[in-house]
Amino acid sequence: GKVLDVNPFLLDLLGLRKEELVGRDPWDLYADPKAAMRRFDDLKKRGFSYDPELTMRSKSGNELRIEAVSNLYAVGASRVLQCNMRDLTDRSRLEEQVRQMQKLESIGNLAGGVAHDFNNILNIISAHTAVLGRKSAGGNGDRQKESAQAIEQAVHRGAGVVKQLLTFARR
């Protein structure tokens, strides 16, 4: 259950010197030591494990994502665990950035669709307002004309909102 040897890859990855690792409990290197201890116990029973994504902490406190393949084998009277690791930190970071970009793209598509639908509604309102404005004859005409103008102003403000949504969606 103690680290016996370590290669330069892990030293560089964790920012430690060999003397700082040899003799330590291996699960102390993980973000969740209790889960690491359970994996270690399971590995002792099965003799092999594959962990597609584990979290370790470097000396500076940074979280590192790793993939690990571990084997247990006999060396004389001792059982030795060999763990081969791959650093997935950059790949995980890039995957998260891609997810964020996809979310933004979805929001942009939604905004574009809403803007187009809203624009169609505004066009219908604008056309009917123009008809109302022209039919302003009789005693009620001034009031009807004022209402038509108020509706037309609201349509223009709505059209401005549509332009902003479409500009956002294009980005």
Side-chain angles (χ1 to χ4, degrees):
K2 300 290 182 188
V3 175
L4 300 177
D5 195 13
V6 61
N7 66 15
F9 167 80
L10 188 62
L11 295 174
D12 288 343
L13 184 67
L14 298 177
L16 295 169
R17 294 184 328 271
K18 189 172 186 174
E19 302 80 40
E20 293 175 289
L21 278 176
V22 172
R24 280 180 69 179
D25 295 329
W27 40 84
D28 290 342
L29 304 172
Y30 293 90
D32 185 352
K34 288 182 181 178
M37 287 171 72
R38 285 191 301 272
R39 284 192 307 276
F40 181 70
D41 289 339
D42 187 50
L43 174 63
K44 287 191 296 186
K45 293 174 193 164
R46 293 182 5 187
F48 171 84
S49 77
Y50 169 69
D51 297 296
E53 192 168 332
L54 298 171
T55 304
M56 297 181 84
R57 294 215 185 275
S58 68
K59 184 175 183 175
S60 63
N62 293 333
E63 272 196 3
L64 306 167
R65 302 274 185 224
I66 61 151
E67 172 185 52
V69 175
S70 305
N71 294 294
L72 191 62
Y73 57 94
V75 174
S78 300
R79 292 187 332 165
V80 177
L81 165 67
Q82 180 179 357
C83 188
N84 297 295
M85 298 176 181
R86 181 184 311 172
D87 184 8
L88 304 176
T89 307
D90 289 339
R91 182 170 72 179
S92 296
R93 196 173 297 127
L94 287 173
E95 287 171 352
E96 181 57 30
Q97 288 174 352
V98 167
R99 278 191 291 279
Q100 292 300 324
M101 288 172 44
Q102 288 171 336
K103 286 180 189 177
L104 285 174
E105 183 181 5
S106 295
I107 291 169
N109 289 337
L110 176 64
V114 168
H116 284 293
D117 289 346
F118 191 55
N119 202 36
N120 291 338
I121 293 168
L122 290 175
N123 285 332
I124 293 167
I125 294 170
S126 181
H128 285 280
T129 303
V131 170
L132 280 176
R134 284 191 298 249
K135 291 187 175 182
S136 313
N140 228 2
D142 289 340
R143 219 155 136 202
Q144 196 173 7
K145 190 169 189 167
E146 284 176 26
S147 291
Q149 288 172 344
I151 293 169
E152 191 63 35
Q153 287 174 350
V155 166
H156 288 297
R157 284 195 309 268
V161 170
V162 167
K163 284 182 185 177
Q164 289 176 344
L165 275 171
L166 289 173
T167 301
F168 171 76
R170 284 187 196 110
R171 278 191 234 144

